[in-house]
Amino acid sequence: PIDSKESLSLEQIKNSLANYNACYVLITCKKPSKEGEMAVEMCYEGDETLASYLVENAKEAVSSKIEGSQNSQ
């Protein structure tokens, strides 16, 4: 586990991403509640079309990895 003194705040992460990237999409979720609900948040910085492209490509990459792991079982 990361020591709380070393952990970055969400704002620090966003600022760092914005400083070094033309565009970013950050999707986070909280740990599930006792009822199994999870709060999901998404933020992005940069061109909306590029952000959409990043999300679509990330979805395809994750789907491909899931399919690959299911086929290897």
Side-chain angles (χ1 to χ4, degrees):
I2 297 175
D3 184 274
S4 62
K5 293 178 186 176
E6 295 178 14
S7 63
L8 298 173
S9 73
L10 186 55
E11 284 306 311
Q12 289 172 311
I13 293 169
K14 288 187 207 177
N15 288 336
S16 181
L17 290 170
N19 287 336
Y20 297 104
N21 298 281
C23 182
Y24 74 83
V25 177
L26 181 62
I27 302 171
T28 59
C29 63
K30 303 287 183 192
K31 292 182 180 178
S33 68
K34 291 180 181 178
E35 294 79 31
E37 297 175 358
M38 294 172 61
V40 177
E41 296 179 16
M42 182 186 88
C43 61
Y44 68 92
E45 180 102 10
D47 181 76
E48 290 179 352
T49 303
L50 183 53
S52 176
Y53 175 79
L54 292 173
V55 170
E56 287 300 318
N57 280 286
K59 179 183 174 193
E60 289 176 19
V62 171
S63 293
S64 292
K65 187 167 186 168
I66 290 170
E67 287 177 16
S69 66
Q70 289 175 345
N71 291 337
S72 66
Q73 292 179 1

